[in-house]
Amino acid sequence: MSIAGFLPRWAHALHHCTRALLIPSLLMVVAAPALALNPKKPLSDLMHQSWSVDEGLPHSTVRAIVQSPDGYLWFATHEGAARFDGSSFTVFDQTNAPALVGNGVASMLNMRDGSLVMGLRIAGLARYSRGKFEPLNAKGNIPSGTVYHLAEDNSGALWAAVATSGLVRIANGEAKLFTVDDGLPSNSISALRVLANGELWIGTANGLAVLRDGKFVRNPTGTWLDGASIAGLVEDRQKNLWFATNGQGIAVREGNTVRRFGKREGL
């Protein structure tokens, strides 16, 4: 059963999955104001529903959620990938999908070709396409470590943030690793976002970088954000870029201006 119309109702239960999803969920609301909850309505008036291992999830820690083009929700967990049809889970792990080495899935991304790419907890990547899983192999350097974040640029290249090793670009069957030696502020990548203008923005434990004309540019905002620990990035419908940080609040870049929101603004 497809659940293309199920996602807005699901949003009310996201906070039951894992604390790791708190900031991304907040940024999803910023990016899609039509789905935002009425702040005047008490929580008691809202429907709450939660799912855990008792309902079929393979693990209670969920690292990522995506909705595939056919309407299913997919969950990345420490014990495999779970596909949800609105009523039950189908679990994929190393026993029925050998490409999911070590079971754990840390990140997911819908590709424009219709496939679903998964970053694994132990190392490497897997691709789900037309009902089959397969390893996503490439010639070159894909270091060992958890693949925490994924992004596809406008050329179709796949970018993968690998633990504390840096950023890997996979294109035409070849992989190349980029590190601080190539202009990144840190090898610990915490967020990836391809903007509408095609720029790839990278959030790290030590500020921001952007890929422009094939080169990484550090400190692209020229503000305090360029030394902050970045937790998330999202572009809204007005092309404003929002930043979630670890311990320093939220900021938004509107044109050349950066505004900051902290405790004084209600966070």
Side-chain angles (χ1 to χ4, degrees):
M1 177 178 65
S2 178
I3 55 168
F6 182 75
L7 187 57
R9 183 164 67 91
W10 175 263
H12 300 319
L14 278 178
H15 68 283
H16 292 282
C17 294
T18 174
R19 291 182 180 178
L21 291 171
L22 179 59
I23 291 298
S25 299
L26 172 61
L27 292 178
M28 284 171 62
V29 172
V30 170
L35 298 182
L37 302 179
N38 184 349
K40 296 181 180 180
K41 182 176 288 188
L43 290 177
S44 59
D45 289 352
L46 301 176
M47 185 195 72
H48 296 267
Q49 192 169 356
S50 63
W51 291 264
S52 67
V53 292
D54 294 333
E55 288 75 36
L57 268 178
H59 196 279
S60 58
T61 297
V62 177
R63 296 295 306 177
I65 302 174
V66 301
Q67 186 176 24
S68 55
D70 55 11
Y72 291 104
L73 286 178
W74 287 80
F75 299 84
T77 84
H78 284 192
E79 293 297 335
R83 187 180 67 193
F84 189 54
D85 64 7
S87 61
S88 62
F89 294 93
T90 300
V91 176
F92 301 94
D93 56 27
Q94 195 168 350
T95 59
N96 60 1
L100 299 180
V101 179
N103 293 337
V105 180
S107 55
M108 291 180 171
L109 177 70
N110 281 320
M111 301 289 286
R112 288 197 295 272
D113 64 5
S115 65
L116 177 63
V117 172
M118 302 181 186
L120 306 183
R121 285 190 70 207
I122 291 179
L125 300 134
R127 185 194 301 272
Y128 178 81
S129 180
R130 299 180 180 179
K132 295 182 179 181
F133 287 87
E134 61 181 5
L136 201 164
N137 297 319
K139 296 179 182 178
N141 186 4
I142 302 180
S144 298
T146 302
V147 180
Y148 283 114
H149 304 281
L150 299 166
E152 181 184 17
D153 67 22
N154 288 357
S155 72
L158 176 66
W159 294 85
V162 182
T164 57
S165 297
L167 190 59
V168 177
R169 182 182 187 269
I170 302 171
N172 301 317
E174 297 187 355
K176 182 177 181 180
L177 176 66
F178 298 91
T179 68
V180 292
D181 294 335
D182 302 290
L184 293 175
S186 169
N187 290 337
S188 182
I189 311 298
S190 50
L192 294 175
R193 182 67 57 175
V194 177
L195 304 190
N197 64 8
E199 291 182 342
L200 173 67
W201 280 68
I202 303 105
T204 80
N206 186 37
L208 295 160
V210 60
L211 182 65
R212 289 176 179 156
D213 300 323
K215 296 182 179 180
F216 293 102
V217 178
R218 294 182 61 174
N219 305 330
T221 70
T223 70
W224 60 274
L225 281 168
D226 294 317
S229 175
I230 306 298
L233 299 168
V234 73
E235 186 179 30
D236 66 23
R237 294 177 181 178
Q238 288 72 44
K239 305 297 188 295
N240 300 317
L241 187 56
W242 291 79
F243 309 87
T245 72
N246 291 306
Q248 293 181 266
I250 294 173
V252 58
R253 187 194 66 164
E254 301 169 307
N256 295 322
T257 302
V258 173
R259 290 195 296 151
R260 185 175 183 175
F261 302 89
K263 291 182 178 179
R264 290 188 300 178
E265 290 75 27
L267 289 182

